[in-house]
Amino acid sequence: MKFTLSWLKEHLETDASLDEISRRLTMLGLEVEGIEDRAKALAPFRIAQVVSAEKHPDADKLRVCMVDTGDGAAPLQVVCGAPNARAGIKVCFAPVGTTVPASGMVLKKGVIRGVESNGMMCSERELELSDEHNGIIELPEDAPVGASFADYMGLGDPVIDIALTPDRADCAGVRGVARDLAAAGLGKLKPLAADPVPGTFPSPITVTTETPGCPYYVGRTFRGVKNGPSPKWLQDKLRAIGLRPISALVDITNLVTFDVARPLHAFDADKVTGNIVVRMGRAGETLKALNGKEYALDDTMVVIADDAGAEALGGIIGGEPSGCTEETTTVFLEAALFDPLRVAATGRRLGIDSDARYRLERGVDPEAVVAGIEMASRLILELCGGEASELVFAGAVPEWRRTITLRPTRQKALGGIDLAVDDQARILADLGCVLTPNADGTFAVVPPSWRADIYGEADLVEEILRVHGYDFIPATPMDRAGTVTKPAVDARQRRTVTARRALAARGLSEAVTWSFLSTEVAGLFGAAHDGLVLVNPISSDLTVMRPSVLPNLIQAAGRNADRGFADVGLFEVGPAYRTPEPDGQDQIAGGVRAGNAVPRHWAEKERAVDAYDAKADALAVLDAAGAPAGNLQITTDAPGWYHPGRSGTLRLGPTVLGWFGEVHPSILDALKVKGPVVAFEVFLDKVPAPKKKGGTAKPLLTLSAFQPVERDFAFVVDRAVEADRIVRAVKGADKALIAGVGVFDIYEGAGVGEGRKSVGINVTLQPATATLTEQDIEAIGQKIVAAVVKATGGSLRA
Amino acid sequence: MDALKEELLSQVASAADLAALDEIRVTALGKKGRITGLMKELGALSPEEKKARGQALNALKDEIAAALDARKADLAAAHLAKKLEAERIDVTLPVRPETEGRIHPISQTIDEIVAIFAEMGFTVADGPDIEDDFHNFTALNFPVGHPARDMHDTFYLPDAADGRKMLLRTHTSPVQVRTMLKKKPPIRVIIPGRTFRSDYDMTHTPMFHQVEGLVIDETTNMGHLKGCLIDFCRAFFDVDDLPLRFRPSFFPFTEPSAEVDIGCLRKGGELKLGNFGDWLEILGCGMVHPNVLEACGVDSTKYQGFAFGMGIERIAMLKYGIPDLRTFFEADLRWLKHYGFVPLDVPSLAHGLTR
C-alpha cells in the first residue's frame, strides 16, 4: 500500500516529520517498506520552453533546439533526437551536471556531430516515471518556465510504501493509516466530507442480488457526463503511487479505492442491457475482463450480470464490453459488499490480483458503501458534469456490531504493561471504538464497522498495546522452577543427537537433504504409498515423499564424485516415510561411503569401500543409540536396493534394526553413480529403550586375579557357513570361561578342499577362581571343537 | 703405582668397544688382575705400610672401576646413537589418512538453540512432517478459505480415507497443537523441525527448518515473551548488548502478535549484528490466541502464554556468515567441511556455544 505524504496530510493534521511518521507507522504494525523521496532525485530538473528547433546540419533525425530555461539568461543550445522536439513546447529540462535517474549518468556539455549541446530534454523513462520513451515530455502550455519540474508534476511528494498485514483492511485506504497515526498521538484526524449528492431522477437501471456472496449492493446512474482525461491534480496523485491515469471516471473510482479503501466500479450504462442482477456464475459463461483476458466462469463465482450475461466479477474486476471509455456519457456506478472468502477463492483460482480484490478479500467497511458512492458522486459531478440519479439498493448492510467485554486489568496480565484505564479508553475511542463502562470496572466495547478484525478481548489488548507502543513493554525474565535445569531432550530424542555425533566422529559428514524426491527414484527403493505423492509438487524432481534416506545420499555422492571428490562419506539422520499417518514416519540414521576407504598413501594399502565399512557404521550408530550390541543377529535378507550377496539385516529378535551392505549395481546404474557405493540404514525408533535398573549406578565391576589365556583354532567348514555361526558355537561352549572370540583368518584354496574354507578363531579364556592348568585348557578346547563341529558340520583343520 | 694408574686409565680411554673394555677390566681388576695382584702382596707388609698402601690401592681400584663404568656408558651411548641414527625416518611424510566428519550447520544450530532454551526450562517436542489441515491450520485459527492460508504456499497430499486434507506442515506449529491436546499446562516446549512451503528462489527453499516455542501457564505475558527472546538472541548471537525491536504484526494464531528485529549494520554488502541503529527481521511471535487454546482443549479463561517461531537456516546464516540458503541442502563435501562443525564441538552454555 503506497501513499504520498501530502495525501496522508489530507486526512491528518500533523507537524510530525517524515522520519517520525515513518518510525511510528512501523511501530503501529504498518511496516514501512520504503520511502521514495523523488524530490531529491528530481531537484535539478526544470520546466523549460523550446524557443526554436532546426534540423541538425549533419543528421536527419536530430534537431538543434534553443531552449529557454527561465533563468533570465540567453536560451541554451540543445541537440535533441526526439521526434516531438519542436518550437513552442514546454519541456522538462536537465542542465549540464544533472544525474539522469534511469541511467545514473551525469550530463556533460557535449558536441553532437559538430554541434554543441548543453543539457537534455527528458522522456518519462529517463526520469523513471513510466516506460514511455517515444518522445520527450510535453507539458501543458501554462506550465511555468523555470519552475521545478517535480513540484509542478506533484512528484515532490515523498511516497511511503507500507506492508499491510492481512487483518488490516482499513489501512488499505489512506484514511485508515491517518486514523492509526492520530490515535498514536501524531496529529489530528480531519473530518471527512459527508454531504450526500441528491438524486434528480430515478435510476433507469435497478439492481437485485440473488446470492449471499453479495449481501449489499448500491448503485446510481449518471447521465450527461463528459468523460476524458482527469485533471492534472488527480493524475499526479495516482501516478505518484504507481497507478496509471486512464480517464476521469476510472480515476475517480481508483481515488476512492485508495483514499477510503472503498472499491467502486463504473459501468458504461449504455452498454448495460436491462437491469443489474448479482448472481452466481454459470458453467460455460465467460467474461472478457478489463485486463484484456478472457475468463471461464462457474457457479462458485459471484458475477454482476445484466440481461446479456456476466458483465463483471464481483469484487475482483470489471468486464471490457461494459467498461467506460472516453465516449461514455451515461454511467452506472457500483459500490457493494462481497463475501471476502469468495472473493479470495475466485481471485486465487483465476489468478487475478486487483486493487478491488486486495480490499474486498480483507473485508471492507460495511457502513461505508453509501459514503463511498457519495464521495465518488461529488467528484463525478465536479469533474465530468451531468446529473446523478437517486440511489438504488439491493440487500442490506449485514449486522456487524458486536460487543466485547474489556477488563482493563488484562493490559497488564496479558500485555505485560500497566496502563491507566483512561489511556486505554482514549486509545480505543481514537480508533473508533464505542465504550460503555460497566459497573464492575470493565468496559463494553463496540469496535467500529471498519475493524472486522477486532472480535475478542485479546484484540483490544493488542490495539491498546500497539498504539501505546510495544517499546514500552518491560522485558521480564522467564521464571524457573529451580536453579538447575532438567534435560531438554528425552531418551528417544537424545539418540538422534548421539547418532549424528557418532557418525561424524567416524569420518562421515552430515547432509540434510529434501524429504521428497522423484517418483522414478523413489520407485527404486520400494513402492511409495499412494498417499505420499504430492498433489502440487514444485518440480518434477520433487514429487513424492522419500521412502529412504539413501537415494538422496547416493546421488549426492555421485555429484561430489563428478566434482572430483570421489572418496565420499555422507550420512543423514532424518525421516523416511511409509504412510501419511503420524506413525508412518521413521527416524533413520543412514549413510553412504563411496570410492576408497583407504586412499592411495605411502604407508597404507589402497582399499575401496566394502560392506564391512557400512556394517561398522551401522553398528556404531546402534551402539551410540544404546542397542544391546551383543544380542544382535545378522541375517542376509536386506532389501532389493542392496547387493544380494553383500548385505545384511541387523536384528534384535524379530525386530529389524537396520540394513547394511553394498548398494545394488543396478540401482547405481539407474542413479548414474559410479560404484562401489556401500550404505546403511538404521531405524532409530526401533532401538529398545534402555531398561531402567533403578538408579544411575553401573553393575559392579569384578576383576579376575588370574591370567587370561589365549588359544587359536582353525576349522574347515563349508564355504556357505557364516563366521557368526562358528563364533556363536564357540561362545556357547563355556559361557563362563570364554571371555572373547575373534576371527583372525579366512582361507580358501589349496589344502582345504573345493567349496570349503578355513576359519581361524582366537579364543580368550578368563578364569575367575584359579589359574588354568594344561588339563583345563585341553578340556575346554575339546568342548569348543565339539560345539563348532556340531553347529557347522565342519572339522578342526589338521 | 702412579705409572700403573696412568697406563690403565689410558687403556680405558682408548678402548674401542665394550669387549676391549671388558678385557681391560679383567686385566686390572679380575682375579688375576694387576691391581688384584698388588692387593695380594699387602700381606707381606708391616701394619703401618699395609694400611697406607692398602688405602692407596683401594683408591686406585675405585678410580679404575669408575673410569671403566664411565667409559662403558659412553660407549653404550655412542652405540645407541649410531643405531638411532640408522633408524632415522622422514618425519615430513604425511600421516596415515583419517577422514574427519562434520556436523551440518542446521544440526549444530538446533543443538545451540536447545542448549539455551534448556536453561530457561524448555523441553523439546516433535511431531510428524505430514499433517492434516486441522493441525496445521484450523486449530491455529486459520479460517477455511482465509487469505492467510494462501501466504503459506502449502504442499498437499491426497486426502485421507476419512476425508482429512493431508499436507506437509508449513510450520512446526502443529506440534504446538499436539502438545496442548496431549499435556495439561504448564507447558514450556520448543519444537525444531522440518517444514515445507512451495517456494524456490534465492531466499526460499521448498524444505527448510523452523524452531517454535510455546509457553502456556496462568501468568506468562508479553513482557516474558520479550525477556525470553532477548535472552535467547543475545546468547545465540553472542552479542551481549544486541538490541531487539518488537513490532506489531499479524498471525492468525497469536494476539497480540509481533515481529522481532535485531540490531544490525549493513555496510558494503556485509552484515554486522549489534547496536548500530539498523534493523533486521528474524522472527514472529505473540500471545497464543484464545481460539487456538480452545481448539486445543485448553481453558482460555484460565491459561495463557506465548508462542514464537523462527527459521533455523536464517539464524544460522546470520550467525555463521553463510551466504546462500540453497547450499544447505546440496551435500557438497567442500561446503560441509567449511561450514560444518567437528563432532566434539557439542554446544553447551557451560563450555561455550560458539566455536
Side-chain angles (χ1 to χ4, degrees):
Chain A
M1 166 77 189
K2 279 183 179 180
F3 53 90
T4 62
L5 182 60
S6 62
W7 195 338
L8 178 69
K9 287 183 174 178
E10 287 175 22
H11 293 281
L12 184 72
E13 201 178 306
T14 183
D15 303 326
S17 68
L18 181 60
D19 277 354
E20 177 61 10
I21 289 171
S22 163
R23 201 192 65 80
R24 211 68 191 87
L25 282 171
T26 292
M27 292 314 292
L28 277 163
L30 306 170
E31 187 186 0
V32 174
E33 293 212 300
I35 292 183
E36 201 186 334
D37 199 352
R38 284 189 291 195
K40 220 177 274 173
L42 296 181
F45 295 85
R46 300 274 138 191
I47 297 169
Q49 184 163 31
V50 180
V51 180
S52 66
E54 308 292 339
K55 196 182 96 48
H56 189 290
D58 292 323
D60 287 345
K61 289 192 172 165
L62 296 180
R63 283 183 180 75
V64 179
C65 306
M66 296 307 290
V67 179
D68 174 11
T69 64
D71 58 359
L76 288 171
Q77 179 171 293
V78 178
V79 177
C80 182
N84 62 335
R86 60 187 192 278
I89 62 169
K90 298 270 178 77
V91 297
C92 169
F93 177 74
V96 169
T98 303
T99 304
V100 180
S103 63
M105 299 261 291
V106 179
L107 290 178
K108 290 191 194 106
K109 187 170 184 163
V111 177
I112 299 172
R113 295 228 179 167
V115 178
E116 192 181 285
S117 182
N118 303 284
M120 184 170 90
M121 294 181 280
C122 305
S123 71
E124 289 189 8
R125 193 169 78 189
E126 282 156 345
L127 298 185
E128 292 184 313
L129 299 179
S130 76
D131 289 335
E132 181 60 50
H133 194 53
N134 288 328
I136 53 175
I137 297 168
E138 281 184 52
L139 296 168
E141 283 172 23
D142 59 358
V145 172
S148 154
F149 171 77
D151 285 351
Y152 177 75
M153 293 294 283
L155 297 171
D157 218 358
V159 180
I160 302 164
D161 189 3
I162 58 172
L164 266 198
T165 51
D167 56 326
R168 292 308 300 276
D170 61 318
C171 288
V174 181
R175 184 154 186 88
V177 176
R179 187 185 297 110
D180 258 26
L181 285 169
L186 229 67
K188 216 175 140 229
L189 191 66
K190 295 180 181 172
L192 201 58
D195 28 315
V197 171
T200 54
F201 62 100
S203 173
I205 296 174
T206 64
V207 293
T208 45
T209 170
E210 296 177 349
T211 166
C214 172
Y216 188 46
Y217 191 108
V218 181
R220 159 178 269 174
T221 306
F222 295 83
R223 62 186 182 201
V225 301
K226 186 178 175 304
N227 198 12
S230 57
K232 185 174 162 308
W233 66 264
L234 180 49
Q235 293 199 16
D236 287 349
K237 206 162 169 173
L238 297 179
R239 218 185 268 116
I241 60 167
L243 292 179
R244 196 165 183 78
I246 293 167
S247 68
L249 287 169
V250 176
D251 292 354
I252 288 166
T253 62
N254 280 334
L255 179 75
V256 176
T257 300
F258 279 83
D259 194 50
V260 293
R262 174 63 257 180
L264 303 166
H265 184 62
F267 296 92
D268 185 329
D270 291 335
K271 295 177 194 156
V272 173
T273 316
N275 291 317
I276 296 278
V277 180
V278 189
R279 58 165 170 84
M280 300 313 285
R282 292 171 187 150
E285 243 178 342
T286 59
L287 175 74
K288 181 145 198 235
L290 281 168
N291 60 9
K293 290 183 192 157
E294 180 128 350
Y295 295 97
L297 311 180
D298 64 31
D299 61 2
T300 66
M301 304 167 182
V302 175
V303 300
I304 317 299
D306 60 9
D307 291 355
E311 296 294 353
L313 266 168
I316 298 175
I317 197 164
E320 197 177 80
S322 59
C324 288
T325 64
E326 302 263 324
E327 287 76 45
T328 298
T329 56
T330 318
V331 176
F332 184 76
L333 186 66
E334 158 197 307
L337 296 177
F338 297 98
D339 173 13
L341 292 183
R342 211 168 272 284
V343 171
T346 303
R348 191 162 58 232
R349 268 190 55 202
L350 298 180
I352 305 173
D353 283 313
S354 67
D355 292 324
R357 174 190 166 190
Y358 183 82
R359 286 158 182 81
L360 283 157
E361 73 181 7
R362 283 168 162 77
V364 296
D365 181 356
E367 288 296 343
V369 181
V370 171
I373 221 165
E374 295 289 9
M375 180 175 173
S377 299
R378 287 191 296 274
L379 284 162
I380 290 174
L381 295 186
E382 181 188 326
L383 303 182
C384 306
E387 56 180 326
S389 81
E390 290 156 2
L391 295 174
V392 288
F393 301 90
V397 177
E399 183 52 58
W400 54 268
R401 283 171 196 81
R402 59 210 172 279
T403 305
I404 306 163
T405 304
L406 173 71
R407 293 164 288 169
T409 51
R410 290 299 285 161
Q411 207 58 40
K412 170 73 178 159
L414 186 67
I417 185 164
D418 244 332
L419 196 60
V421 177
D422 286 353
D423 290 334
Q424 298 188 32
R426 199 269 308 152
I427 287 172
L428 291 180
D430 282 354
L431 291 173
C433 295
V434 177
L435 283 79
T436 316
N438 292 323
D440 59 358
T442 64
F443 286 95
V445 181
V446 178
S449 56
W450 55 84
R451 292 298 302 269
D453 58 310
I454 300 177
Y455 55 86
E457 191 182 35
D459 300 307
L460 296 174
V461 171
E462 180 182 69
E463 289 305 306
I464 295 165
L465 209 56
R466 174 176 80 80
V467 171
H468 181 67
Y470 277 16
D471 280 348
F472 298 105
I473 303 170
T476 316
M478 298 285 290
D479 54 353
R480 304 181 9 165
T483 43
V484 176
T485 52
K486 298 260 189 201
V489 296
D490 62 22
R492 181 181 55 84
Q493 293 162 337
R494 190 167 160 181
R495 267 184 211 150
T496 295
V497 177
T498 45
R500 282 197 180 104
R501 304 237 168 225
L503 288 169
R506 291 183 52 76
L508 298 170
S509 285
E510 187 188 9
V512 175
T513 68
W514 305 134
S515 280
F516 21 53
L517 34 66
S518 76
T519 313
E520 295 74 47
V521 171
L524 301 172
F525 292 79
H529 188 287
D530 288 344
L532 295 175
V533 182
L534 294 182
V535 173
N536 55 338
I538 196 163
S539 87
S540 60
D541 295 343
L542 307 172
T543 50
V544 58
M545 302 311 288
R546 65 187 188 189
S548 160
V549 300
L550 291 188
N552 286 342
L553 294 175
I554 294 169
Q555 288 175 307
R559 286 196 305 271
N560 278 294
D562 293 345
R563 281 190 289 257
F565 298 87
D567 298 348
V568 181
L570 287 170
F571 75 94
E572 178 165 8
V573 181
Y577 308 85
R578 278 178 288 107
T579 76
E581 294 306 320
D583 61 3
Q585 178 176 330
D586 301 317
Q587 182 76 334
I588 310 283
V592 298
R593 290 180 185 263
N596 272 336
V598 180
R600 271 160 30 115
H601 187 269
W602 63 270
E604 300 271 304
K605 196 163 162 259
E606 181 183 2
R607 176 173 74 76
V609 294
D610 63 28
Y612 300 106
D613 294 315
K615 182 181 177 184
D617 292 331
L619 291 174
V621 174
L622 284 169
D623 190 42
N631 299 339
L632 293 176
Q633 298 102 44
I634 296 168
T635 54
T636 55
D637 52 351
W641 50 92
Y642 289 97
H643 186 306
R646 295 181 171 180
S647 61
T649 300
L650 290 157
R651 292 172 186 274
L652 196 61
T655 311
V656 172
L657 295 186
W659 301 306
F660 66 87
E662 260 186 54
V663 176
H664 198 294
S666 60
I667 298 279
L668 296 182
D669 277 352
L671 297 176
K672 298 187 178 64
V673 175
K674 241 182 90 194
V677 176
V678 300
F680 66 92
E681 290 155 274
V682 168
F683 299 90
L684 291 175
D685 301 330
K686 294 285 178 60
V687 176
K691 286 197 185 77
K692 284 228 168 90
K693 294 195 192 84
T696 55
K698 297 185 175 194
L700 187 67
L701 175 64
T702 48
L703 294 171
S704 171
F706 304 96
Q707 188 79 13
V709 176
E710 288 223 15
R711 283 292 179 274
D712 291 352
F713 301 85
F715 296 99
V716 176
V717 294
D718 248 28
R719 191 174 180 269
V721 171
E722 294 103 344
D724 191 49
R725 264 164 75 191
I726 301 174
V727 170
R728 279 174 192 277
V730 172
K731 280 182 178 163
D734 189 333
K735 283 182 174 146
L737 199 55
I738 295 173
V741 182
V743 179
F744 67 85
D745 183 47
I746 299 288
Y747 173 76
E748 284 176 47
V752 294
E754 189 74 10
R756 296 173 73 75
K757 64 182 174 186
S758 165
V759 181
I761 302 285
N762 61 316
V763 181
T764 306
L765 305 169
Q766 176 62 65
T769 52
T771 305
L772 290 175
T773 64
E774 274 309 309
Q775 287 91 327
D776 294 337
I777 296 169
E778 182 63 25
I780 183 71
Q782 282 173 6
K783 270 167 86 179
I784 288 171
V785 173
V788 172
V789 168
K790 189 174 169 221
T792 65
S795 58
L796 193 65
R797 190 175 176 186
Chain B
M1 208 155 66
D2 281 351
L4 178 61
K5 180 175 152 187
E6 289 306 315
E7 186 193 339
L8 286 172
L9 286 177
S10 131
Q11 280 178 10
V12 168
S14 58
D17 53 25
L18 290 173
L21 198 63
D22 201 48
E23 208 166 287
I24 298 163
R25 186 186 59 79
V26 173
T27 320
L29 304 173
K31 276 182 182 164
K32 290 173 181 169
R34 293 167 71 181
I35 296 173
T36 320
L38 292 175
M39 292 284 227
K40 283 175 184 165
E41 290 166 11
L42 288 177
L45 301 177
S46 68
E48 289 77 29
E49 280 178 327
K50 194 173 169 178
K51 190 180 174 194
R53 192 160 171 83
Q55 278 175 350
L57 275 174
N58 268 331
L60 175 63
K61 187 182 159 189
D62 288 350
E63 191 172 347
I64 297 302
L68 282 165
D69 284 351
R71 182 61 184 161
K72 189 177 175 183
D74 285 352
L75 283 173
H79 179 73
L80 184 61
K82 198 172 166 193
K83 179 167 174 272
L84 294 185
E85 178 55 36
E87 287 172 359
R88 180 176 289 279
I89 60 164
D90 178 0
V91 294
T92 66
L93 279 172
V95 298
R96 289 182 184 78
E98 289 170 18
T99 45
E100 218 189 0
R102 286 288 188 271
I103 294 291
H104 196 282
I106 291 175
S107 298
Q108 185 78 8
T109 303
I110 290 175
D111 286 352
E112 292 177 26
I113 294 167
V114 171
I116 299 168
F117 282 109
E119 286 291 314
M120 292 191 261
F122 286 76
T123 58
V124 175
D126 50 31
D129 298 348
I130 300 172
E131 277 288 2
D132 53 34
D133 68 347
F134 170 77
H135 288 93
N136 196 74
F137 288 128
T138 312
L140 291 161
N141 200 33
F142 284 81
V144 176
H146 193 272
R149 289 196 183 200
D150 276 9
M151 289 159 61
H152 277 235
D153 300 316
T154 313
F155 282 115
Y156 285 99
L157 295 166
D159 292 353
D162 57 10
R164 281 175 302 140
K165 225 169 171 37
M166 303 303 285
L167 47 83
L168 298 184
R169 65 182 183 191
T170 58
H171 40 197
T172 57
S173 313
V175 184
Q176 296 191 27
V177 175
R178 289 178 181 275
T179 303
M180 285 188 274
L181 285 170
K182 201 166 59 195
K183 190 176 177 294
K184 289 264 153 289
I187 292 171
R188 207 178 271 202
V189 292
I190 53 165
I191 308 144
R194 293 185 176 216
T195 48
F196 306 86
R197 292 189 195 183
S198 184
D199 205 350
Y200 203 172
D201 57 31
M202 275 294 284
T203 53
H204 299 88
T205 47
M207 182 187 95
F208 57 102
H209 293 72
Q210 266 196 348
V211 60
E212 293 192 2
L214 174 71
V215 174
I216 302 292
D217 55 30
E218 294 182 29
T219 55
T220 290
N221 65 39
M222 204 80 180
H224 296 105
L225 171 60
K226 235 177 160 175
C228 173
L229 291 175
I230 289 173
D231 285 348
F232 167 74
C233 288
R234 289 182 178 171
F236 178 79
F237 290 110
D238 206 4
V239 178
D240 288 342
D241 63 347
L242 184 68
L244 270 72
R245 181 172 77 166
F246 288 69
R247 276 185 288 109
S249 188
F250 168 77
F251 306 105
F253 34 83
T254 50
E255 190 78 31
S257 305
E259 278 181 336
V260 177
D261 303 330
I262 52 176
C264 71
L265 177 70
R266 295 174 173 92
K267 208 172 167 186
E270 297 240 325
L271 185 81
K272 207 176 154 198
L273 299 181
N275 194 0
F276 301 110
D278 201 357
W279 298 100
L280 179 75
E281 182 194 329
I282 61 153
L283 65 88
C285 60
M287 302 306 293
V288 179
H289 198 291
N291 290 1
V292 175
L293 294 174
E294 294 296 336
C296 299
V298 176
D299 180 356
S300 68
T301 63
K302 184 173 178 194
Y303 295 109
Q304 62 183 43
F306 66 69
F308 61 83
M310 65 189 120
I312 290 171
E313 287 86 349
R314 177 161 171 78
I315 60 171
M317 288 165 80
L318 285 172
K319 178 167 183 177
Y320 292 111
I322 305 172
D324 186 347
L325 172 65
R326 293 171 297 187
T327 56
F328 277 75
F329 307 103
E330 287 171 356
D332 184 331
L333 283 171
R334 298 165 298 177
W335 188 92
L336 292 171
K337 187 154 181 65
H338 184 77
Y339 291 112
F341 294 81
V342 300
L344 291 180
D345 273 355
V346 182
S348 84
L349 289 179
H351 300 141
L353 277 183
T354 311
R355 302 292 144 167

